[in-house]
Amino acid sequence: MVGQMEITFLGTSSAVPSRTRNQQSMAVRLPTGKVLLVDVGEACQHQFQKSNLKAGRIGAIFITHMHGDHCFGLPPLVSTLSMGDLTDTFEIYGPANLRVWLRTTFRATYATFNRKYRVHEILRPGDPIDHNVDLLDYELPGENITMTASPHPHWSIQLPDGYNVTAVPILHSIPSLGYIIREPDVPGRIDLSEINPILEKNKEALAAKGVKNPMTLLSQLQKGKTIELPDGTTLAPPASRRGRKVIILGDTKDASSLIPFCTEETPHILVHEATNALTSLDPPDMTLAQVEATTLDHGHSTPQMAGATAKAIGAQHLIMTHFSSRYRGDETPEALAVMNEIWKQAVEAVGHENVYCARDLWTFQVAI
Ligand SMILES: [Zn+2]
Ligand SMILES: [Zn+2]
């Protein structure tokens, strides 16, 4: 039995919050109960309180880029998380300037924390480097991480519970990262139709050996143990299956740098921004080419672009987020009609219907 993994969308707006969408933040709840938080838009804490997630379960925070709609909620969140009884170091990962920005904010506001935090910066060539001098009392020196060189720059970390996170640079108006979260391999499935007759055949001999219910052997098998049966049959544990792979992108106008990371293992989920679209809200003479040109100019994507990326990397499911505040996130018929237009455009581009438009506080179960 493989535990549940789910993504909760705490904020789905671009740039400014609206009445129906908060700024961007996504919580990935792992089967271990730990939460990996990707981006922390303004008022993220309020969204946590409205969800069934516990901020105290946050294992690590990943910031995609330094635009305020993705990180302005971080200082208050770190502040709150540092007030409780937790004493472990709090790890934050993100681009250049994150460390000095947090330090400046905390120093200027005379913040005092019980819990220590550490910011690791994932740097590109030419990025400003913070040398960990003049640290706060509760700040530990963070790593200055240089991504591997071309042709496919990236950086990976193995988290304590075995999950791997890879950061890949993607194109936006400022340095932006996509994060690939990969679950460790999970136990394979036991084929009961094959095993039951074999166990039945050995039932009496097993009972004589003290195994009254042969089905108890299945859990041992599932745990990877090989089992010898009285009639000489050997039951081998099922081959493990690959774990779930979830990709969450920062803002982007081109995320094709992900393709080399998806050729051998396609992702279960791609979370991709779709800031602007041509919809019935636009004037009748507006063209798709015009919308695309403006969207690209701002470093963003349309549903067609999100769909094309999902198709290029073979994503099983595409979830769009980071919508312009024009696209309301409630369930009124008007809002749903516009979101349906956006959905259809992505469906056409990706070629299947496993496509979703995220709403605030919506949770998606990542199936395996
Ligand atoms: Zn943004
Ligand atoms: Zn941005």
Side-chain angles (χ1 to χ4, degrees), residues 65 67 69-70 172-174 251 300 322:
H65 67 298
H67 276 151
D69 55 327
H70 298 255
H172 181 40
S173 56
I174 64 168
D251 290 357
H300 290 299
H322 197 267

Side-chain angles (χ1 to χ4, degrees), residues 203-343:
K203 197 173 174 184
E204 280 176 25
L206 282 167
K209 287 178 121 190
V211 183
K212 293 209 175 93
N213 179 5
M215 296 305 275
T216 55
L217 298 177
L218 294 182
S219 69
Q220 293 178 35
L221 209 55
Q222 190 76 71
K223 283 177 189 154
K225 209 172 151 195
T226 299
I227 292 168
E228 298 278 345
L229 292 173
D231 71 350
T233 311
T234 303
L235 295 179
S240 59
R241 293 175 286 156
R242 75 177 177 100
R244 287 162 279 199
K245 181 172 177 175
V246 170
I247 302 182
I248 298 181
L249 302 184
D251 290 357
T252 189
K253 61 177 179 179
D254 179 352
S256 55
S257 53
L258 286 170
I259 295 172
F261 300 91
C262 300
T263 46
E264 283 177 22
E265 278 188 354
T266 55
H268 292 75
I269 313 288
L270 171 68
V271 180
H272 195 300
E273 68 132 291
T275 306
N276 298 112
L278 179 66
T279 71
S280 50
L281 298 174
D282 292 305
D285 58 346
M286 179 84 85
T287 66
L288 179 59
Q290 286 171 321
V291 172
E292 276 179 353
T294 317
T295 306
L296 275 171
D297 205 33
H298 293 105
H300 290 299
S301 292
T302 61
Q304 286 84 351
M305 291 161 68
T309 304
K311 187 174 186 179
I313 63 172
Q316 290 173 23
H317 300 269
L318 165 66
I319 303 177
M320 290 180 286
T321 186
H322 197 267
F323 297 110
S324 158
S325 53
R326 302 174 73 205
Y327 311 134
R328 279 166 33 200
D330 56 30
E331 293 197 11
T332 56
E334 301 78 29
L336 290 175
V338 172
M339 295 319 296
N340 194 44
E341 291 178 52
I342 292 172
W343 177 82

Side-chain angles (χ1 to χ4, degrees), residues 34-35 48 53-59 81 86 88 90 115:
K34 279 245 174 76
V35 169
F48 254 99
L53 297 163
K54 300 229 177 324
R57 299 301 309 233
I58 296 173
L81 291 173
L86 295 170
D88 56 319
F90 195 67
R115 192 178 179 192

Side-chain angles (χ1 to χ4, degrees), residues 307-308 311 345-355:
K311 187 174 186 179
Q345 292 168 21
V347 164
E348 210 161 286
V350 75
H352 60 69
E353 293 198 350
N354 295 329
V355 174

Side-chain angles (χ1 to χ4, degrees), residues 34-37 40 48 54-63 73-83 86-93 98 102 106 113-120 138-142:
K34 279 245 174 76
V35 169
L36 305 181
L37 193 61
V40 192
F48 254 99
K54 300 229 177 324
R57 299 301 309 233
I58 296 173
I61 294 180
F62 297 87
I63 299 295
L74 185 57
L77 179 67
V78 173
S79 176
T80 300
L81 291 173
S82 304
M83 281 172 188
L86 295 170
T87 52
D88 56 319
T89 301
F90 195 67
E91 310 282 345
I92 304 165
Y93 301 84
L98 181 56
L102 272 186
F106 293 143
F113 301 152
N114 302 328
R115 192 178 179 192
K116 288 187 165 49
Y117 77 90
R118 177 162 41 205
V119 177
H120 307 287
Y138 42 85
E139 180 188 7
L140 293 174

Side-chain angles (χ1 to χ4, degrees), residues 63-67 71 93-102 119-130 143-145 147 174-177 179:
I63 299 295
T64 61
H65 67 298
M66 289 303 293
H67 276 151
C71 64
Y93 301 84
N97 293 332
L98 181 56
R99 193 185 299 139
V100 72
W101 171 63
L102 272 186
V119 177
H120 307 287
E121 292 189 344
I122 305 162
L123 304 172
R124 299 174 181 224
D127 276 345
I129 297 176
D130 174 82
E143 245 187 285
N144 286 324
I145 299 155
M147 280 192 264
I174 64 168
S176 183
L177 296 165
Y179 289 107

